[in-house]
Amino acid sequence: MKPWIILLVAGLLETGWAVGLKYTDAFTRFWPSVGTAVALVASMVLLAIAVRELPIGTAYPVWVGIGAVGAATFGMLFLSEPVSLLRIFFLVLLLLAIIGLKLTSVTT
């Protein structure tokens, strides 16, 4: 279970750095850029730790999926990005794919 928790935190940090890009103003703002870079490095390091025990073919799509769902949700909730039933439907499908990968994965 521990590698899955590490992967979850890595995915949440991926959401953080993806959203952080919005606030860096193309890396011209110092503190948002530092926070984004720290989240990026921490996310990658945790992903690397998780794949010691999880298959890369499972861990990487789960990591990307958590980041994608998180960034899209943040955008809809806080950045006035478009919200539609179809968009929410596809985000739910992505979540189901993440859960499916977790349920069908064998930890090495």
Side-chain angles (χ1 to χ4, degrees), residues 24-96:
T24 67
D25 197 23
F27 293 103
T28 60
R29 297 181 60 215
F30 182 74
W31 289 115
S33 297
V34 169
T36 299
V38 168
L40 172 63
V41 170
S43 179
M44 294 272 183
V45 167
L46 290 176
L47 175 63
I49 291 168
V51 298
R52 288 179 181 164
E53 297 184 44
L54 298 174
I56 191 68
T58 299
Y60 181 72
V62 168
W63 178 73
V64 169
I66 293 169
V69 169
T73 302
F74 185 92
M76 288 187 288
L77 291 175
F78 301 107
L79 301 175
S80 301
E81 292 182 2
V83 180
S84 69
L85 285 177
L86 202 52
R87 186 174 168 116
I88 292 168
F89 171 75
F90 285 116
L91 288 172
V92 169
L93 282 182
L94 188 50
L95 280 173
L96 290 173

Side-chain angles (χ1 to χ4, degrees), residues 4 58 62 96-106:
W4 284 103
T58 299
V62 168
L96 290 173
I98 291 167
I99 292 166
L101 285 170
K102 196 292 188 206
L103 293 175
T104 60
S105 177
V106 177

